[in-house]
Amino acid sequence: MAGKPVLYYYNARGKMECIRWLLAAAGVEFEEKFMETSEDLEKLIKDGRLMFQQLPMVEIDGMTLVQSRAILNYIATKYDLYGKDAKERALIDMYTEGIIDLTDMMLRVVTCFPDQREAKISLAKDKAKSRYLPAYEQVLKSHRQDYLVGNRLTRVDIHLLEVLLYVEELDSSLLAPFPLLKALKSRISSLPNVKKFLQPGSQRKPPYDEKIIEKAKKIFKFQPS
């Protein structure tokens, strides 16, 4: 019997959080090994375990996987969260890419230079309410079903819930004009596995603060952008 997946990252959201979300939604228990210093990361690289010398990395089913999209695709396929056919997967991929774009835009709010933060926040809020949220609201309006694709839970519903919660952290009023998205958020949040992940004490990571950002800079040696 295969052991639990093991996730290698640092103790924050970053590019691993969507992987944590998807595993949790599938009801899969996982372990985490956190990078505490740049030396921890360098050891993984020297040991030849990071194919492209970057995290996230996940050990699962006897494989060592890197690249977040590849990891998510494998998890979604294994746990039947990737649609029933090629057409559904195409929609799931298309909707997911939009979510990634919005998530990356919001991530830049916390990784930018301090004097750029207000402009980055303004841009993220504007794009959320004028481009991304209306698009997903329209998808739900077009078919009047409970889920985005195929009228059953898929990975994109989980990804969307995650980003909707980030949008609310940015500005709690942004979801007000989108009743179908609010309903989907409530519906997915009520699923047993998701509800458990949303509870205090789960492996879900908290919002960024200055301490988390400074630690990430030291581990990954990155500069604001």
Side-chain angles (χ1 to χ4, degrees), residues 121-140:
I121 290 173
S122 179
L123 177 64
K125 289 167 65 172
D126 177 67
K127 294 300 183 185
K129 68 182 179 182
S130 68
R131 177 182 296 180
Y132 294 101
L133 298 182
Y136 295 110
E137 181 82 1
Q138 181 57 40
V139 171
L140 293 169

Side-chain angles (χ1 to χ4, degrees), residues 104-207:
D104 286 348
M105 192 176 298
M106 290 191 289
L107 182 60
R108 286 194 286 273
V109 168
V110 298
T111 61
C112 68
F113 288 104
D115 62 351
Q116 298 175 345
R117 192 151 295 158
E118 287 304 316
K120 296 286 188 183
I121 290 173
S122 179
L123 177 64
K125 289 167 65 172
D126 177 67
K127 294 300 183 185
K129 68 182 179 182
S130 68
R131 177 182 296 180
Y132 294 101
L133 298 182
Y136 295 110
E137 181 82 1
Q138 181 57 40
V139 171
L140 293 169
K141 186 177 180 180
S142 70
H143 57 47
R144 291 290 176 178
Q145 295 175 342
D146 287 345
Y147 302 98
L148 282 168
V149 178
N151 202 25
R152 65 172 183 150
L153 183 70
T154 69
R155 59 178 288 188
V156 74
D157 300 299
I158 303 303
H159 299 328
L160 183 57
L161 171 61
E162 181 188 355
V163 82
L164 291 178
L165 293 173
Y166 296 160
V167 166
E168 285 191 323
E169 289 176 359
L170 191 65
D171 184 338
S172 59
S173 71
L174 288 173
L175 282 185
F178 306 103
L180 298 180
L181 285 179
K182 290 170 63 178
L184 180 136
K185 172 178 165 286
S186 177
R187 187 161 53 248
I188 305 302
S189 296
S190 298
L191 297 174
N193 289 334
V194 176
K195 186 175 182 179
K196 180 180 178 182
F197 191 60
L198 289 169
Q199 296 302 308
S202 80
Q203 289 164 290
R204 186 166 72 105
K205 304 306 180 232

